Amino acid sequence: EEGMNVTAFSAFGASSYIELSMATENDIMMKHPTILALAAAHNKTPAQILIRWALERNTFPLTKTCNSDRMKENRGVLDFSLADEDMEKINNLNENRRYNDPG
C-alpha cells in the first residue's frame, strides 16, 4: 500500500541458531519433507523452492553464501513457478517462529 517491499531474512530456517540451542535440525526448512518433495517434483533444490516461494509471495529473500555454485543456484529460480497448491503446502508449514527478531 505504501510501495515498500518486505525482505525475508533466514528464509531457509535457523541453522545458525542450532549451536545456540535456540533451534533444532527440525527447524531447517531445506530438510523438511514437504520442501524435499516439492524440490524433487520440480527438479530443483530445496533452496530454489524456498526462494521461489518467497518471490511468489512478493517478498525479497536475503540469501547468504560465499560459495559461487550456490550463488548461481540461487539465481536459477526464474524458470519455474509454484502452483497454488504448492504455495499452500509451504504456507501450511508456518509455526509463527521468528529468528533474528531484535524484540
Side-chain angles (χ1 to χ4, degrees):
E1 139 186 348
E2 298 297 326
M4 294 188 301
N5 292 340
V6 175
T7 58
F9 192 81
S10 292
F12 299 155
S15 57
S16 63
Y17 281 75
I18 292 172
E19 65 188 53
L20 300 173
S21 298
M22 296 174 67
T24 69
E25 289 287 329
N26 294 332
D27 295 315
I28 300 174
M29 294 306 299
M30 289 195 295
K31 295 182 179 181
H32 193 283
T34 298
I35 303 303
L36 294 173
L38 289 170
H42 288 277
N43 198 29
K44 294 292 181 178
T45 67
Q48 288 172 316
I49 295 296
L50 292 167
I51 292 169
R52 185 68 204 185
W53 170 78
L55 292 172
E56 289 191 27
R57 294 180 63 234
N58 294 316
T59 56
F60 182 77
L62 300 175
T63 60
K64 179 183 115 178
T65 185
C66 294
N67 182 302
S68 60
D69 289 335
R70 282 197 206 113
M71 287 180 200
K72 185 177 180 180
E73 174 186 309
N74 290 348
R75 291 189 303 267
V77 297
L78 301 177
D79 61 347
F80 77 105
S81 61
L82 296 170
D84 289 343
E85 56 268 15
D86 295 338
M87 292 293 291
E88 190 64 26
K89 287 176 185 177
I90 300 172
N91 291 341
N92 287 336
L93 300 178
N94 180 28
E95 295 182 4
N96 290 318
R97 304 269 317 266
R98 301 294 180 259
Y99 301 99
N100 303 304
D101 182 356

